[in-house]
Amino acid sequence: QVQLVESGGGLVQAGGSLRLSCAASGSIFMTKSMGWYRQAPGKQRELVASIGSGDTTNYADSVKGRFTISRDAAKNTVDLQMNSLKPEDTGNYYCKYTKWPNLEYWGQGTQVTVST
């Protein structure tokens, strides 16, 4: 089993910044990727950013140039630096850990609210 603990959410004004962190523990091996997803009220959960075992990154078009994902493989953590936040970035942000070949684990989520 893998346990994921997220932190760093909160309330911020539009244009502000937040940094989310996710710490993985437990059966950490054969890591395929780690990433952040978000879900706004009434909408489906969507990919925000992910980082693979080779540190290749993937971003949603809506956050490119504003968000940066980074990983510390030694500490089994993944961070999401979010700058120039917009009200449409509001949602519950979830950390996901994927193990080869495709076994997924999810965190409990952390709320991000961006006010106008």
Side-chain angles (χ1 to χ4, degrees):
Q1 286 292 333
V2 174
Q3 295 78 43
L4 301 171
V5 177
E6 300 121 329
S7 61
L11 172 65
V12 64
Q13 286 190 329
S17 299
L18 282 175
R19 188 177 183 87
L20 304 183
S21 295
C22 174
S25 62
S27 182
I28 306 298
F29 62 93
M30 296 179 67
T31 300
K32 183 177 182 180
S33 67
M34 294 186 75
W36 289 94
Y37 288 68
R38 68 186 177 195
Q39 187 166 17
K43 294 188 177 181
Q44 288 190 328
R45 192 173 296 187
E46 62 176 1
L47 171 71
V48 177
S50 65
I51 185 165
S53 56
D55 285 343
T56 54
T57 57
N58 184 35
Y59 293 93
D61 287 342
S62 60
V63 307
K64 284 180 180 177
R66 299 188 297 122
F67 291 11
T68 303
I69 191 169
S70 59
R71 185 172 73 109
D72 187 329
K75 296 181 180 180
N76 296 317
T77 58
V78 62
D79 291 348
L80 185 68
Q81 178 64 43
M82 304 186 294
N83 299 327
S84 302
L85 282 160
K86 304 175 181 180
E88 51 263 44
D89 293 319
T90 293
N92 210 1
Y93 283 66
Y94 296 90
C95 177
K96 187 177 86 166
Y97 171 86
T98 305
K99 182 183 294 191
W100 289 100
N102 211 28
L103 188 58
E104 300 177 348
Y105 298 88
W106 292 88
Q108 294 295 312
T110 184
Q111 179 67 34
V112 171
T113 304
V114 184
S115 63
T116 55

